Amino acid sequence: MSIYGINSALWGVYTSPENGQQLREQPDDYIARFDLTPQEATAITAQDYAALLDMGAHPFLMYKMALRLEGRFSIEFLQRYLGRLRGHQLRDIVT
């Protein structure tokens, strides 16, 4: 498992609209750029934020990737996003 690889993939989507588009349209091509296990790659392409959190992904990067893929903020988006994380605990994160 590579927390660096996971966070790098999330960062790439957060910082680049083009990467977000590639993840939506050609997920295998986007994911291939990173050193990820098959489970990590699946969690990113499926936008499985609960699994990503459990794997050690940084919550800020997860949220920013979700927002990029959504295209805009809305209360409905936030409710869906937080609903996916219900029951999961935030670990101690140090940046």
Coordinates of all heavy atoms in Angstrom, one line a residue:
M1 N 0.9 -1.2 0.0 CA 0.0 0.0 0.0 C 0.9 1.2 0.0 O 1.9 1.3 0.7 CB -0.9 0.0 1.2 CG -1.8 1.2 1.3 SD -3.2 1.0 2.4 CE -2.5 1.0 4.0
S2 N 0.5 2.2 -0.8 CA 1.3 3.4 -0.9 C 0.4 4.7 -0.6 O -0.3 5.1 -1.5 CB 1.9 3.5 -2.3 OG 2.4 4.8 -2.5
I3 N 0.5 5.2 0.6 CA -0.2 6.4 0.9 C 0.2 7.6 0.0 O -0.6 8.4 -0.5 CB -0.1 6.8 2.4 CG1 -0.8 5.7 3.2 CG2 -0.7 8.2 2.6 CD1 -0.6 5.9 4.7
Y4 N 1.5 7.6 -0.3 CA 2.1 8.6 -1.2 C 1.4 8.5 -2.6 O 1.0 9.5 -3.2 CB 3.6 8.5 -1.3 CG 4.2 9.5 -2.3 CD1 4.3 10.8 -1.9 CD2 4.5 9.2 -3.6 CE1 4.8 11.8 -2.7 CE2 5.0 10.1 -4.5 CZ 5.2 11.4 -4.0 OH 5.7 12.4 -4.9
G5 N 1.3 7.3 -3.1 CA 0.7 7.1 -4.4 C -0.8 7.5 -4.5 O -1.2 8.1 -5.4
I6 N -1.5 7.1 -3.4 CA -2.9 7.5 -3.3 C -3.0 9.0 -3.3 O -3.8 9.6 -4.1 CB -3.6 6.9 -2.0 CG1 -3.7 5.4 -2.1 CG2 -4.9 7.5 -1.8 CD1 -4.1 4.7 -0.8
N7 N -2.3 9.6 -2.4 CA -2.4 11.1 -2.3 C -1.9 11.8 -3.5 O -2.5 12.9 -3.9 CB -1.7 11.6 -1.0 CG -2.4 11.2 0.3 OD1 -3.7 11.1 0.3 ND2 -1.7 11.0 1.4
S8 N -1.0 11.3 -4.2 CA -0.5 11.9 -5.4 C -1.6 11.8 -6.5 O -1.8 12.8 -7.2 CB 0.8 11.1 -6.0 OG 1.8 11.3 -5.1
A9 N -2.3 10.7 -6.6 CA -3.4 10.6 -7.6 C -4.5 11.6 -7.2 O -5.1 12.2 -8.1 CB -3.9 9.2 -7.6
L10 N -4.8 11.7 -5.9 CA -5.9 12.6 -5.5 C -5.5 14.1 -5.8 O -6.2 14.9 -6.3 CB -6.2 12.4 -4.0 CG -6.7 11.1 -3.5 CD1 -6.9 11.1 -2.0 CD2 -7.9 10.7 -4.3
W11 N -4.2 14.4 -5.4 CA -3.7 15.7 -5.7 C -3.7 16.1 -7.2 O -4.1 17.2 -7.5 CB -2.2 15.8 -5.2 CG -1.5 17.1 -5.5 CD1 -0.7 17.4 -6.5 CD2 -1.6 18.3 -4.7 NE1 -0.3 18.7 -6.5 CE2 -0.8 19.3 -5.4 CE3 -2.3 18.7 -3.6 CZ2 -0.7 20.6 -4.9 CZ3 -2.1 20.0 -3.1 CH2 -1.3 20.9 -3.8
G12 N -3.4 15.1 -8.0 CA -3.4 15.4 -9.4 C -4.8 15.8 -9.9 O -4.9 16.7 -10.8
V13 N -5.8 15.2 -9.4 CA -7.2 15.5 -9.8 C -7.6 16.9 -9.2 O -8.2 17.7 -9.9 CB -8.2 14.4 -9.4 CG1 -9.6 14.9 -9.6 CG2 -7.9 13.1 -10.1
Y14 N -7.2 17.1 -8.0 CA -7.5 18.4 -7.3 C -6.9 19.5 -8.0 O -7.5 20.6 -8.2 CB -7.0 18.3 -5.8 CG -6.8 19.6 -5.1 CD1 -7.8 20.6 -5.2 CD2 -5.7 19.8 -4.4 CE1 -7.6 21.8 -4.5 CE2 -5.5 20.9 -3.7 CZ -6.4 22.0 -3.7 OH -6.2 23.1 -3.1
T15 N -5.7 19.4 -8.5 CA -5.0 20.5 -9.0 C -5.1 20.7 -10.5 O -4.6 21.7 -11.1 CB -3.5 20.4 -8.7 OG1 -2.9 19.2 -9.2 CG2 -3.2 20.5 -7.2
S16 N -5.8 19.8 -11.2 CA -5.8 19.9 -12.7 C -7.2 19.4 -13.2 O -7.5 18.2 -13.1 CB -4.7 19.0 -13.3 OG -4.9 18.8 -14.7
P17 N -7.9 20.4 -13.8 CA -9.2 20.0 -14.4 C -9.0 18.9 -15.5 O -9.8 18.0 -15.7 CB -9.7 21.3 -15.1 CG -9.0 22.4 -14.3 CD -7.7 21.8 -13.9
E18 N -7.9 18.9 -16.2 CA -7.6 17.9 -17.2 C -7.4 16.5 -16.6 O -7.9 15.5 -17.2 CB -6.3 18.3 -18.0 CG -6.4 19.5 -18.8 CD -6.2 20.8 -18.0 OE1 -5.8 20.8 -16.9 OE2 -6.6 21.9 -18.6
N19 N -6.8 16.4 -15.5 CA -6.6 15.1 -14.8 C -8.0 14.6 -14.3 O -8.3 13.4 -14.4 CB -5.7 15.2 -13.6 CG -4.2 15.3 -14.0 OD1 -3.9 15.0 -15.2 ND2 -3.4 15.8 -13.1
G20 N -8.8 15.5 -13.8 CA -10.2 15.2 -13.4 C -11.0 14.6 -14.6 O -11.7 13.6 -14.5
Q21 N -10.8 15.3 -15.7 CA -11.5 14.8 -16.9 C -11.0 13.4 -17.4 O -11.8 12.5 -17.7 CB -11.4 15.8 -18.1 CG -12.1 15.4 -19.3 CD -12.0 16.5 -20.4 OE1 -11.4 17.6 -20.2 NE2 -12.5 16.2 -21.6
Q22 N -9.7 13.3 -17.3 CA -9.1 12.0 -17.7 C -9.6 10.9 -16.7 O -9.9 9.8 -17.2 CB -7.6 12.0 -17.7 CG -7.0 10.7 -18.2 CD -5.5 10.7 -18.3 OE1 -4.8 11.4 -17.6 NE2 -5.0 10.0 -19.3
L23 N -9.6 11.2 -15.4 CA -10.1 10.2 -14.5 C -11.6 9.8 -14.8 O -11.9 8.6 -14.7 CB -10.0 10.7 -13.0 CG -10.5 9.7 -12.0 CD1 -9.7 8.4 -12.0 CD2 -10.4 10.3 -10.6
R24 N -12.4 10.7 -15.2 CA -13.8 10.4 -15.5 C -13.9 9.6 -16.8 O -14.6 8.7 -16.9 CB -14.6 11.7 -15.7 CG -15.0 12.3 -14.4 CD -16.1 13.4 -14.6 NE -15.5 14.5 -15.4 CZ -14.9 15.5 -14.9 NH1 -14.6 15.6 -13.6 NH2 -14.5 16.5 -15.7
E25 N -13.1 10.0 -17.8 CA -13.2 9.4 -19.2 C -12.3 8.3 -19.5 O -12.7 7.4 -20.3 CB -13.0 10.5 -20.2 CG -14.1 11.6 -20.1 CD -13.8 12.8 -21.1 OE1 -12.8 12.8 -21.8 OE2 -14.6 13.8 -21.0
Q26 N -11.1 8.3 -18.9 CA -10.1 7.2 -19.2 C -9.4 6.9 -17.8 O -8.2 7.1 -17.7 CB -9.1 7.7 -20.2 CG -9.6 8.1 -21.5 CD -8.6 8.9 -22.3 OE1 -7.9 9.7 -21.8 NE2 -8.6 8.6 -23.6
P27 N -10.2 6.3 -16.9 CA -9.6 6.1 -15.6 C -8.4 5.2 -15.6 O -7.5 5.4 -14.8 CB -10.8 5.5 -14.8 CG -11.8 5.0 -15.8 CD -11.6 5.8 -17.0
D28 N -8.4 4.2 -16.4 CA -7.2 3.3 -16.4 C -5.9 4.0 -16.8 O -4.9 3.8 -16.2 CB -7.4 2.1 -17.3 CG -8.5 1.2 -16.8 OD1 -8.8 1.2 -15.5 OD2 -9.1 0.4 -17.6
D29 N -6.0 4.9 -17.8 CA -4.9 5.7 -18.2 C -4.4 6.6 -17.1 O -3.2 6.8 -16.9 CB -5.2 6.5 -19.5 CG -5.4 5.6 -20.7 OD1 -5.0 4.4 -20.7 OD2 -6.0 6.1 -21.7
Y30 N -5.3 7.3 -16.4 CA -4.9 8.2 -15.3 C -4.3 7.4 -14.2 O -3.2 7.8 -13.7 CB -6.2 9.0 -14.8 CG -5.7 9.9 -13.7 CD1 -5.0 11.0 -14.0 CD2 -6.0 9.6 -12.4 CE1 -4.6 11.9 -12.9 CE2 -5.6 10.4 -11.3 CZ -4.9 11.6 -11.6 OH -4.4 12.4 -10.6
I31 N -4.9 6.3 -13.8 CA -4.4 5.6 -12.6 C -3.0 4.9 -12.9 O -2.2 4.7 -12.0 CB -5.5 4.5 -12.2 CG1 -6.7 5.2 -11.6 CG2 -4.9 3.4 -11.3 CD1 -6.3 6.0 -10.3
A32 N -2.8 4.6 -14.2 CA -1.5 3.9 -14.5 C -0.3 4.8 -14.2 O 0.8 4.2 -14.1 CB -1.6 3.5 -16.0
R33 N -0.5 6.1 -14.1 CA 0.7 6.9 -13.8 C 1.2 6.8 -12.4 O 2.2 7.3 -12.0 CB 0.2 8.4 -14.0 CG -0.1 8.7 -15.4 CD -0.2 10.2 -15.6 NE -1.6 10.6 -15.7 CZ -2.0 11.9 -15.5 NH1 -1.1 12.8 -15.2 NH2 -3.2 12.2 -15.6
F34 N 0.4 6.1 -11.5 CA 0.8 6.1 -10.1 C 1.1 4.7 -9.6 O 0.6 3.7 -10.2 CB -0.4 6.7 -9.3 CG -0.7 8.1 -9.7 CD1 -1.8 8.3 -10.6 CD2 0.0 9.2 -9.2 CE1 -2.1 9.5 -11.0 CE2 -0.4 10.4 -9.6 CZ -1.4 10.6 -10.6
D35 N 1.9 4.6 -8.6 CA 2.3 3.3 -8.0 C 1.2 2.9 -7.0 O 1.3 3.2 -5.9 CB 3.7 3.4 -7.4 CG 4.1 2.0 -6.8 OD1 3.7 1.0 -7.3 OD2 5.0 2.1 -5.9
L36 N 0.2 2.2 -7.5 CA -0.9 1.8 -6.7 C -1.2 0.3 -6.7 O -1.0 -0.3 -7.8 CB -2.2 2.5 -7.2 CG -2.2 4.1 -7.2 CD1 -3.4 4.6 -7.9 CD2 -2.1 4.6 -5.7
T37 N -1.7 -0.2 -5.6 CA -2.2 -1.6 -5.7 C -3.5 -1.6 -6.4 O -4.2 -0.6 -6.6 CB -2.4 -2.1 -4.2 OG1 -3.5 -1.4 -3.7 CG2 -1.2 -2.0 -3.4
P38 N -3.9 -2.8 -6.9 CA -5.2 -2.9 -7.5 C -6.4 -2.3 -6.7 O -7.3 -1.7 -7.2 CB -5.4 -4.4 -7.8 CG -4.0 -4.9 -7.9 CD -3.2 -4.1 -6.9
Q39 N -6.3 -2.6 -5.4 CA -7.4 -2.1 -4.5 C -7.4 -0.6 -4.4 O -8.5 0.0 -4.4 CB -7.2 -2.7 -3.1 CG -7.4 -4.2 -3.0 CD -6.2 -5.0 -3.4 OE1 -5.1 -4.5 -3.6 NE2 -6.3 -6.3 -3.6
E40 N -6.2 0.0 -4.3 CA -6.1 1.5 -4.3 C -6.6 2.1 -5.6 O -7.4 3.1 -5.6 CB -4.7 1.9 -4.1 CG -4.2 1.5 -2.7 CD -2.6 1.6 -2.6 OE1 -1.9 1.7 -3.6 OE2 -2.2 1.6 -1.4
A41 N -6.2 1.5 -6.7 CA -6.7 2.0 -8.0 C -8.2 1.9 -8.1 O -8.9 2.9 -8.6 CB -6.0 1.2 -9.1
T42 N -8.8 0.8 -7.7 CA -10.2 0.6 -7.7 C -10.9 1.6 -6.8 O -11.9 2.2 -7.2 CB -10.6 -0.8 -7.3 OG1 -10.0 -1.7 -8.3 CG2 -12.1 -1.0 -7.3
A43 N -10.4 1.9 -5.6 CA -11.0 2.8 -4.7 C -11.0 4.2 -5.3 O -12.0 5.0 -5.2 CB -10.3 2.8 -3.4
I44 N -10.0 4.6 -6.0 CA -9.9 5.9 -6.6 C -10.9 6.0 -7.8 O -11.7 7.0 -7.9 CB -8.5 6.3 -7.1 CG1 -7.6 6.5 -5.8 CG2 -8.5 7.6 -7.9 CD1 -6.1 6.6 -6.1
T45 N -10.8 5.1 -8.7 CA -11.7 5.1 -9.9 C -13.2 5.0 -9.5 O -14.0 5.6 -10.2 CB -11.3 4.1 -10.9 OG1 -11.4 2.8 -10.4 CG2 -9.9 4.3 -11.5
A46 N -13.5 4.3 -8.4 CA -14.9 4.1 -8.0 C -15.3 5.2 -7.1 O -16.5 5.3 -6.7 CB -15.0 2.8 -7.3
Q47 N -14.4 6.1 -6.8 CA -14.6 7.2 -5.8 C -15.2 6.6 -4.5 O -16.1 7.1 -3.9 CB -15.6 8.2 -6.4 CG -15.1 8.9 -7.7 CD -16.1 9.8 -8.3 OE1 -16.7 10.6 -7.7 NE2 -16.2 9.7 -9.7
D48 N -14.5 5.6 -4.0 CA -14.9 5.0 -2.8 C -14.1 5.7 -1.7 O -13.1 5.2 -1.2 CB -14.6 3.5 -2.9 CG -15.0 2.7 -1.6 OD1 -15.4 3.3 -0.6 OD2 -15.0 1.5 -1.7
Y49 N -14.7 6.8 -1.2 CA -14.0 7.6 -0.2 C -13.8 6.9 1.1 O -12.8 7.2 1.8 CB -14.7 9.0 -0.1 CG -14.7 9.7 -1.4 CD1 -15.9 9.9 -2.2 CD2 -13.5 10.1 -2.0 CE1 -15.8 10.5 -3.4 CE2 -13.5 10.7 -3.3 CZ -14.6 10.9 -3.9 OH -14.6 11.5 -5.2
A50 N -14.8 6.1 1.5 CA -14.6 5.3 2.8 C -13.4 4.4 2.7 O -12.6 4.4 3.6 CB -15.9 4.6 3.1
A51 N -13.3 3.7 1.6 CA -12.1 2.8 1.4 C -10.8 3.6 1.4 O -9.8 3.3 2.0 CB -12.2 2.0 0.2
L52 N -10.8 4.8 0.7 CA -9.6 5.6 0.6 C -9.2 6.1 2.0 O -8.1 6.1 2.4 CB -9.8 6.8 -0.3 CG -9.9 6.4 -1.8 CD1 -10.4 7.6 -2.7 CD2 -8.5 6.0 -2.3
L53 N -10.2 6.5 2.8 CA -10.0 7.0 4.1 C -9.3 5.9 5.0 O -8.3 6.1 5.7 CB -11.2 7.5 4.8 CG -11.1 8.2 6.2 CD1 -10.2 9.5 6.0 CD2 -12.4 8.5 6.7
D54 N -9.9 4.7 4.9 CA -9.4 3.5 5.6 C -8.0 3.2 5.2 O -7.2 2.7 5.9 CB -10.3 2.3 5.4 CG -11.6 2.5 6.1 OD1 -11.8 3.4 7.0 OD2 -12.6 1.7 5.8
M55 N -7.6 3.5 3.9 CA -6.3 3.2 3.4 C -5.3 4.3 3.8 O -4.1 4.1 3.5 CB -6.3 3.1 1.9 CG -7.0 1.9 1.3 SD -7.1 1.9 -0.5 CE -8.3 0.7 -0.8
G56 N -5.7 5.4 4.3 CA -4.8 6.4 4.8 C -4.8 7.6 3.9 O -3.9 8.5 4.1
A57 N -5.7 7.8 2.9 CA -5.7 9.0 2.1 C -6.0 10.2 3.0 O -6.7 10.1 4.0 CB -6.8 8.8 1.1
H58 N -5.5 11.3 2.6 CA -5.6 12.6 3.3 C -7.1 13.1 3.0 O -7.5 13.2 1.9 CB -4.6 13.6 2.9 CG -4.5 14.7 3.8 ND1 -5.4 15.7 3.9 CD2 -3.6 15.0 4.8 CE1 -5.1 16.6 4.9 NE2 -4.0 16.1 5.4
P59 N -7.8 13.4 4.1 CA -9.2 13.8 3.9 C -9.4 15.1 3.1 O -10.3 15.2 2.3 CB -9.7 14.0 5.4 CG -8.8 13.3 6.2 CD -7.5 13.2 5.5
F60 N -8.5 16.0 3.2 CA -8.5 17.2 2.4 C -8.5 16.9 0.9 O -9.2 17.4 0.1 CB -7.4 18.2 2.8 CG -7.4 19.4 1.9 CD1 -8.2 20.5 2.1 CD2 -6.4 19.5 0.9 CE1 -8.2 21.6 1.3 CE2 -6.3 20.6 0.1 CZ -7.2 21.7 0.3
L61 N -7.5 16.0 0.6 CA -7.4 15.7 -0.9 C -8.5 14.9 -1.4 O -8.9 15.1 -2.5 CB -6.0 14.9 -1.1 CG -4.8 15.7 -0.7 CD1 -3.6 14.8 -0.9 CD2 -4.6 16.9 -1.6
M62 N -9.1 14.0 -0.5 CA -10.3 13.3 -0.9 C -11.4 14.2 -1.2 O -12.1 14.1 -2.3 CB -10.7 12.3 0.2 CG -9.9 11.1 0.4 SD -10.4 10.0 1.6 CE -11.8 10.6 2.4
Y63 N -11.7 15.2 -0.3 CA -12.7 16.1 -0.5 C -12.5 17.0 -1.8 O -13.4 17.2 -2.6 CB -12.9 17.1 0.7 CG -13.8 18.2 0.5 CD1 -15.2 17.9 0.5 CD2 -13.4 19.5 0.2 CE1 -16.1 19.0 0.3 CE2 -14.3 20.5 0.0 CZ -15.6 20.2 0.0 OH -16.5 21.3 -0.2
K64 N -11.3 17.4 -2.0 CA -11.0 18.3 -3.1 C -11.2 17.5 -4.5 O -11.6 18.1 -5.5 CB -9.6 18.9 -3.0 CG -9.5 19.9 -1.9 CD -10.6 21.0 -1.9 CE -10.0 22.2 -2.6 NZ -10.9 23.4 -2.6
M65 N -10.8 16.2 -4.4 CA -11.0 15.4 -5.6 C -12.5 15.2 -5.9 O -12.9 15.4 -7.0 CB -10.3 14.0 -5.5 CG -10.5 13.2 -6.8 SD -9.8 11.5 -6.6 CE -11.3 10.6 -6.4
A66 N -13.2 14.9 -4.9 CA -14.7 14.8 -5.0 C -15.3 16.0 -5.6 O -16.2 16.0 -6.5 CB -15.3 14.4 -3.7
L67 N -14.9 17.2 -5.1 CA -15.4 18.4 -5.5 C -15.1 18.7 -7.0 O -15.9 19.1 -7.8 CB -15.0 19.6 -4.6 CG -15.6 20.9 -4.8 CD1 -17.1 20.9 -4.7 CD2 -14.9 21.9 -3.9
R68 N -13.9 18.4 -7.3 CA -13.4 18.6 -8.7 C -14.3 17.7 -9.7 O -14.7 18.2 -10.7 CB -12.0 18.2 -8.9 CG -11.5 18.0 -10.3 CD -11.3 19.3 -11.1 NE -10.2 20.0 -10.5 CZ -10.0 21.3 -10.6 NH1 -10.8 22.0 -11.4 NH2 -9.0 22.0 -10.1
L69 N -14.5 16.5 -9.3 CA -15.3 15.5 -10.1 C -16.7 15.9 -10.2 O -17.4 15.7 -11.2 CB -15.1 14.1 -9.6 CG -13.7 13.5 -9.8 CD1 -13.6 12.2 -9.2 CD2 -13.2 13.5 -11.2
E70 N -17.2 16.5 -9.1 CA -18.6 17.0 -9.1 C -18.8 18.2 -10.0 O -19.8 18.4 -10.6 CB -19.0 17.3 -7.6 CG -20.4 17.9 -7.5 CD -21.5 16.8 -7.7 OE1 -21.2 15.6 -7.6 OE2 -22.7 17.2 -7.8
G71 N -17.8 19.1 -10.0 CA -17.8 20.3 -10.9 C -18.2 21.5 -10.1 O -17.9 22.6 -10.6
R72 N -19.0 21.4 -9.0 CA -19.3 22.6 -8.2 C -19.8 22.1 -6.9 O -20.2 21.0 -6.7 CB -20.4 23.4 -8.9 CG -21.7 22.7 -9.1 CD -22.8 23.5 -9.7 NE -24.1 22.8 -9.7 CZ -24.9 22.8 -8.7 NH1 -24.7 23.5 -7.6 NH2 -26.1 22.2 -8.7
F73 N -19.8 23.1 -5.9 CA -20.3 22.8 -4.6 C -21.8 22.9 -4.5 O -22.4 23.8 -5.2 CB -19.7 23.7 -3.6 CG -20.2 23.5 -2.2 CD1 -19.7 22.5 -1.4 CD2 -21.2 24.3 -1.7 CE1 -20.2 22.3 -0.1 CE2 -21.8 24.1 -0.4 CZ -21.2 23.1 0.3
S74 N -22.4 22.1 -3.8 CA -23.8 22.2 -3.5 C -24.1 21.4 -2.2 O -23.3 20.6 -1.8 CB -24.7 21.6 -4.6 OG -24.6 20.2 -4.7
I75 N -25.2 21.7 -1.5 CA -25.5 21.0 -0.3 C -25.7 19.6 -0.6 O -25.3 18.7 0.1 CB -26.8 21.7 0.3 CG1 -26.4 23.1 0.8 CG2 -27.2 20.8 1.5 CD1 -25.3 23.2 1.8
E76 N -26.4 19.3 -1.8 CA -26.6 17.9 -2.1 C -25.3 17.1 -2.3 O -25.2 16.0 -1.9 CB -27.4 17.8 -3.4 CG -28.9 18.3 -3.3 CD -29.0 19.9 -3.3 OE1 -28.0 20.6 -3.7 OE2 -30.0 20.4 -2.9
F77 N -24.3 17.8 -3.0 CA -23.0 17.1 -3.1 C -22.4 16.8 -1.8 O -21.9 15.7 -1.5 CB -22.1 18.1 -3.9 CG -20.6 17.8 -3.6 CD1 -20.0 16.7 -4.1 CD2 -19.9 18.7 -2.8 CE1 -18.6 16.5 -3.8 CE2 -18.6 18.4 -2.5 CZ -17.9 17.3 -3.0
L78 N -22.5 17.8 -0.9 CA -21.9 17.6 0.5 C -22.6 16.5 1.2 O -21.9 15.6 1.9 CB -21.9 18.9 1.3 CG -21.2 18.9 2.6 CD1 -19.7 18.6 2.4 CD2 -21.3 20.3 3.3
Q79 N -23.9 16.4 1.1 CA -24.6 15.3 1.8 C -24.2 14.0 1.2 O -24.1 13.0 2.0 CB -26.1 15.6 1.6 CG -26.6 16.7 2.5 CD -28.1 17.1 2.2 OE1 -28.6 16.9 1.1 NE2 -28.8 17.6 3.2
R80 N -24.1 13.9 -0.1 CA -23.7 12.6 -0.7 C -22.3 12.2 -0.3 O -22.0 11.1 0.1 CB -23.8 12.7 -2.2 CG -25.1 12.5 -2.8 CD -25.1 12.3 -4.3 NE -24.1 13.2 -5.1 CZ -24.4 14.5 -5.5 NH1 -25.6 15.0 -5.2 NH2 -23.5 15.2 -6.1
Y81 N -21.4 13.2 -0.3 CA -20.0 12.9 0.0 C -19.9 12.5 1.5 O -19.3 11.4 1.8 CB -19.2 14.2 -0.2 CG -17.7 14.0 0.2 CD1 -16.8 13.3 -0.6 CD2 -17.3 14.6 1.4 CE1 -15.5 13.1 -0.2 CE2 -15.9 14.4 1.8 CZ -15.1 13.7 1.0 OH -13.8 13.5 1.4
L82 N -20.5 13.2 2.4 CA -20.4 12.8 3.8 C -21.2 11.5 4.1 O -20.8 10.8 5.0 CB -21.0 14.0 4.7 CG -20.1 15.3 4.7 CD1 -20.8 16.4 5.5 CD2 -18.7 15.0 5.2
G83 N -22.2 11.3 3.4 CA -23.0 10.0 3.5 C -22.1 8.8 3.2 O -22.2 7.8 3.9
R84 N -21.2 9.0 2.3 CA -20.3 7.9 2.0 C -19.3 7.6 3.1 O -18.7 6.5 3.2 CB -19.5 8.2 0.7 CG -20.3 8.2 -0.6 CD -19.5 8.6 -1.7 NE -20.2 8.7 -3.0 CZ -19.7 9.1 -4.1 NH1 -18.4 9.3 -4.2 NH2 -20.5 9.1 -5.2
L85 N -19.0 8.6 3.9 CA -18.1 8.5 5.0 C -18.7 8.2 6.4 O -18.0 8.0 7.4 CB -17.2 9.8 5.1 CG -16.4 10.1 3.9 CD1 -15.8 11.4 4.0 CD2 -15.4 9.0 3.7
R86 N -20.0 8.1 6.4 CA -20.7 7.8 7.7 C -20.2 6.6 8.3 O -20.0 5.5 7.7 CB -22.2 7.7 7.4 CG -23.0 7.8 8.7 CD -24.5 7.9 8.4 NE -24.9 8.7 7.3 CZ -25.1 10.1 7.4 NH1 -24.9 10.7 8.5 NH2 -25.4 10.8 6.3
G87 N -19.9 6.7 9.6 CA -19.4 5.5 10.4 C -17.9 5.3 10.4 O -17.4 4.5 11.0
H88 N -17.2 6.2 9.6 CA -15.7 6.0 9.5 C -15.1 7.1 10.4 O -15.6 8.2 10.5 CB -15.2 6.2 8.1 CG -15.6 5.0 7.3 ND1 -14.8 3.9 7.2 CD2 -16.7 4.7 6.5 CE1 -15.4 3.0 6.4 NE2 -16.6 3.5 6.0
Q89 N -14.0 6.7 11.1 CA -13.3 7.7 12.0 C -12.1 8.3 11.3 O -11.4 7.6 10.5 CB -12.8 6.9 13.2 CG -13.9 6.3 14.1 CD -14.8 7.4 14.6 OE1 -14.3 8.4 15.2 NE2 -16.1 7.3 14.6
L90 N -12.0 9.6 11.5 CA -10.8 10.3 11.0 C -9.6 10.0 11.9 O -9.7 10.1 13.1 CB -11.1 11.8 11.1 CG -10.0 12.7 10.5 CD1 -9.7 12.4 9.1 CD2 -10.4 14.2 10.7
R91 N -8.6 9.5 11.3 CA -7.4 9.2 12.1 C -6.6 10.5 12.4 O -6.9 11.5 11.8 CB -6.5 8.2 11.3 CG -5.8 8.8 10.1 CD -5.1 7.8 9.2 NE -4.3 8.5 8.2 CZ -4.7 9.3 7.3 NH1 -5.9 9.7 7.2 NH2 -3.8 9.8 6.4
D92 N -5.6 10.4 13.2 CA -4.7 11.5 13.5 C -3.9 11.8 12.2 O -3.2 11.0 11.7 CB -3.8 11.2 14.6 CG -2.9 12.4 15.0 OD1 -3.4 13.5 14.8 OD2 -1.9 12.1 15.6
I93 N -4.1 13.0 11.7 CA -3.3 13.4 10.5 C -2.4 14.5 10.8 O -2.7 15.4 11.5 CB -4.3 13.8 9.3 CG1 -5.2 14.9 9.7 CG2 -5.1 12.6 8.8 CD1 -6.0 15.5 8.6
V94 N -1.2 14.4 10.2 CA -0.2 15.5 10.4 C 0.2 15.9 9.0 O 0.6 15.0 8.2 CB 1.0 14.9 11.2 CG1 2.1 16.0 11.3 CG2 0.5 14.5 12.6
T95 N 0.2 17.2 8.8 CA 0.7 17.6 7.5 C 2.0 18.4 7.6 O 2.4 18.8 8.6 CB -0.4 18.5 6.8 OG1 -0.7 19.6 7.7 CG2 -1.6 17.8 6.5

